[in-house]
Amino acid sequence: MRGDRVEIVIDAGGEVRTYVIEATRNGRRVEIETGRGVVTVSEVTRSGTPVRTARFMATRILALVEHPAADQNIAREVPEPQQAGSSG
């Protein structure tokens, strides 16, 4: 879904780098595959054709964070916490 994105944080030998793969158009999605020590993150079309692909060594990945697209029907407000207190 457009707006889906995945952030990949890797150890680049003395520094930390962050890469972002995002579904850039309607109908596209981001898929993650793991195999043989390699993590593949791809933006794919509805039919499954990869548009962009990034491959990372699994041993170098510090974090892999998925950010789903925001649903327009869900309220994004955070309710205020109610405080436990004395009433009198």
Side-chain angles (χ1 to χ4, degrees):
M1 177 177 185
R2 182 179 179 175
D4 286 351
R5 65 187 172 103
V6 175
E7 287 183 71
I8 306 99
V9 181
I10 64 163
D11 175 15
E15 66 178 307
V16 175
R17 292 187 185 174
T18 301
Y19 296 91
V20 177
I21 302 293
E22 184 173 2
T24 56
R25 293 190 180 178
N26 290 334
R28 292 190 180 170
R29 62 187 184 276
V30 179
E31 292 184 349
I32 302 169
E33 297 178 23
T34 305
R36 295 188 175 212
V38 176
V39 175
T40 304
V41 182
S42 301
E43 176 186 1
V44 296
T45 62
R46 287 185 179 124
S47 63
T49 305
V51 178
R52 292 186 303 151
T53 301
R55 290 185 178 90
F56 304 94
M57 292 175 50
T59 56
R60 294 287 186 178
I61 294 178
L62 301 174
L64 193 141
V65 183
E66 296 181 62
H67 298 278
D71 188 354
Q72 298 298 331
N73 298 328
I74 298 175
R76 304 301 277 169
E77 294 181 22
V78 178
E80 302 245 350
Q82 295 185 4
Q83 296 178 352
S86 60
S87 60

